[in-house]
Amino acid sequence: MKKQSSFSTQRILELFSNTNVSGVAYKNKSLKRGILNHLDLHGEFTITELSKELNTSVPKITSLVNELIEDGLLRDNGKFDSTGGRRASIYGLVSDACYFIGVDVKRYYINIGLMDFQKHLVNLKEKIPYRLENTKESYLQLLSVIKEYIQSQNVKKEKILGLAINLSGRINNTSGYSYSYFNFQEEPLAEIIQRTIGIPTFLENDSRAMAYGEFYAGDVGVARNVLFVNVDYGIGLGILLDGKLYYGKSGFSGEFGHIPFFNNEILCHCGKKGCLETEASGQSLLRNFKEKIKKGYSSSANKKKKEAAEITLLDIIVAANNEDMLSIELLAEVGENLGKGLAVLINLINPELLILGGTLSETGDYLRLPIKSAINKYSLSLVNSDTQLRSSKLGEKAGVIGACLIARNKALSN
């Protein structure tokens, strides 16, 4: 079994590589990839159906399907009744042919998951305690979490073809550089981690990964132009145009939270003043809440905390969901400010769908309704009438699923 496992994963890598291939061999590879991609997008098919879809003869498709079965990538899932008389075999991807890992790094915890070849999330571990800081200690802890997770899975390491890590801030997913965290060396962070872990590694901005996960595994319907707003300690934005992630020239698109929106003296973590994040994020909610507590306001969020400094964003979210008035009122202020910013985006991009995700979206209508009200107030009615506003269907899973899918796409296209 070990030889077969190694053989099939090597075949996958060879199949998706065009190195030193031309002529008939290249055409056969392209057709095989066409078969896999079609099954990937549409599920199980018969040889006759594949022949029609790929405009290739039945004997040729039969030969290629048999080779893919020998390589361990396809399997015959049995016969089904057809209208033509004879029962036909139906073919599908082999789910355990290979795997991909997605690591979603949050401010105070990590979510990590394992996805199989059929894009099923077969394992998920959420909220592993962690503190994201731009320090060597935080970096080493991240590596430790990833290594421990890999060791805990009942999957041979050589079958894991890709690992994607989501980080907040500025990420160039093409070069593998992180400009906000763990940029201690001149070499790309993705290459350093790949050498340490021993698995092809890719980096992605957390909001873009969440947007990608929501688009392909959430509830977007037929929408192709989608904005995903990640409302956490900061504000992130993932942009999908015609179903594809929009990166911008340098890969830094979506820095929505750093629009100079307010005439205030509050210093943003980016080093500038007046950014949208300073008045419309989890960070601003936490700051305003602590200021209110110091002034004598009461809240269920600080009943177990002696000092205002000990209160966390999660405490406020829990309090709001338990009908704490101070938390709800401050959330409404954040929603109003954020909605005003989103109205600008709607006027500019005119998206079909705007999805609210991230930690603060867990407060549901307490955040969503003030946002909706501000959007109606500040955006053009003719433009926003075609934009649906929804909360993330995947929630905490969005980032992990997005990272797994990105690792899968990157590994198979590289």
Side-chain angles (χ1 to χ4, degrees):
M1 290 299 293
K2 285 185 180 179
K3 287 184 179 178
Q4 178 63 29
S5 168
S6 176
F7 175 76
S8 64
T9 52
Q10 184 60 35
R11 286 286 193 177
I12 292 172
L13 294 175
E14 289 177 0
L15 180 59
F16 284 89
S17 168
N18 289 327
T19 308
N20 299 324
V21 177
S22 60
V24 175
Y26 177 77
K27 186 176 180 181
N28 286 341
K29 263 192 179 183
S30 296
L31 283 171
K32 283 183 179 180
R33 285 189 294 215
I35 292 169
L36 292 177
N37 288 333
H38 202 75
L39 292 171
D40 193 20
L41 291 172
H42 305 291
E44 300 174 321
F45 268 78
T46 65
I47 283 178
T48 302
E49 288 169 336
L50 286 169
S51 172
K52 290 179 181 177
E53 291 291 338
L54 299 176
N55 195 27
T56 305
S57 70
V58 168
K60 185 65 174 178
I61 292 293
T62 301
S63 173
L64 295 176
V65 164
N66 286 334
E67 289 180 23
L68 288 168
I69 290 173
E70 288 178 15
D71 293 345
L73 304 180
L74 292 189
R75 66 161 50 102
D76 184 339
N77 289 331
K79 308 282 187 182
F80 86 108
D81 293 325
S82 66
T83 55
R86 264 176 60 173
R87 301 179 72 206
S89 290
I90 191 164
Y91 299 90
L93 301 177
V94 176
S95 59
D96 62 354
C98 57
Y99 295 88
F100 309 89
I101 288 178
V103 183
D104 192 30
V105 183
K106 304 293 189 183
R107 180 74 67 94
Y108 293 110
Y109 59 88
I110 292 172
N111 297 327
I112 184 167
L114 183 73
M115 179 176 282
D116 67 19
F117 192 37
Q118 281 194 319
K119 296 190 282 193
H120 298 136
L121 192 64
V122 295
N123 183 270
L124 174 65
K125 191 169 182 181
E126 294 182 294
K127 297 193 174 178
I128 302 167
Y130 176 75
R131 190 178 184 91
L132 177 60
E133 296 174 332
N134 193 31
T135 64
K136 193 71 176 286
E137 291 74 21
S138 182
Y139 168 68
L140 291 175
Q141 187 186 356
L142 172 61
L143 292 180
S144 177
V145 168
I146 295 171
K147 288 177 181 177
E148 287 177 14
Y149 181 80
I150 293 170
Q151 291 170 0
S152 71
Q153 300 306 300
N154 189 28
V155 172
K156 297 184 188 307
K157 190 174 178 181
E158 61 265 25
K159 296 190 80 170
I160 302 173
L161 300 190
L163 163 72
I165 301 171
N166 303 338
L167 288 169
S168 61
R170 282 156 289 287
I171 299 288
N172 188 314
N173 84 323
T174 302
S175 66
Y177 278 100
S178 167
Y179 294 91
S180 300
Y181 290 98
F182 313 140
N183 47 354
F184 314 127
Q185 301 179 46
E186 291 186 9
E187 191 178 1
L189 179 61
E191 291 184 13
I192 297 170
I193 296 177
Q194 177 170 318
R195 192 164 56 245
T196 304
I197 301 293
I199 295 172
T201 301
F202 313 97
L203 298 186
E204 186 55 274
N205 169 268
D206 57 347
S207 299
R208 277 198 293 267
M210 292 168 75
Y212 194 72
E214 196 72 39
F215 185 82
Y216 283 97
D219 183 24
V220 302
V222 297
R224 301 289 293 169
N225 299 302
V226 179
L227 300 180
F228 182 96
V229 185
N230 178 17
V231 195
D232 208 290
Y233 280 86
I235 304 171
L237 178 68
I239 305 169
L240 284 130
L241 300 178
D242 195 25
K244 297 177 182 178
L245 280 173
Y246 177 74
Y247 284 91
K249 171 65 177 176
S250 306
F252 303 142
S253 70
E255 291 294 343
F256 173 55
H258 299 292
I259 294 174
F261 212 79
F262 297 100
N263 185 25
N264 62 34
E265 291 299 309
I266 302 173
L267 188 66
C268 182
H269 69 86
C270 72
K272 301 184 185 298
K273 294 180 180 179
C275 292
L276 183 64
E277 276 191 13
T278 63
E279 299 282 4
S281 66
Q283 193 89 25
S284 66
L285 174 64
L286 189 59
R287 184 190 67 245
N288 291 336
F289 187 91
K290 290 178 179 180
E291 288 175 358
K292 291 287 187 181
I293 295 300
K294 287 177 181 178
K295 291 178 180 178
Y297 286 78
S298 61
S299 167
S300 61
N302 70 322
K303 282 185 177 179
K304 296 180 181 179
K305 305 289 174 75
K306 294 181 180 179
E307 302 292 334
E310 297 177 3
I311 298 170
T312 66
L313 188 58
L314 181 59
D315 293 326
I316 301 173
I317 291 170
V318 171
N321 288 331
N322 285 308
E323 300 183 353
D324 178 74
M325 288 310 299
L326 178 61
S327 302
I328 291 170
E329 288 171 5
L330 292 177
L331 265 170
E333 291 179 13
V334 167
E336 167 78 12
N337 290 332
L338 181 57
K340 193 172 183 179
L342 292 174
V344 175
L345 283 182
I346 289 172
N347 285 344
L348 283 173
I349 299 176
N350 189 205
E352 298 161 76
L353 180 61
L354 195 157
I355 301 173
L356 296 176
T359 307
L360 279 192
S361 71
E362 295 174 10
T363 58
D365 282 348
Y366 291 132
L367 182 70
R368 194 179 70 83
L369 292 180
I371 287 175
K372 180 67 174 174
S373 176
I375 287 174
N376 290 336
K377 183 178 179 182
Y378 295 110
S379 65
L380 298 171
S381 59
L382 193 63
V383 180
N384 74 40
S385 61
D386 288 330
T387 300
Q388 294 184 56
L389 178 66
R390 294 185 196 167
S391 295
S392 167
K393 180 183 178 182
L394 299 180
E396 282 285 340
K397 295 180 183 178
V400 169
I401 291 174
C404 286
L405 290 171
I406 286 167
R408 187 180 189 275
N409 292 350
K410 289 275 191 178
L412 297 183
S413 66
N414 283 359

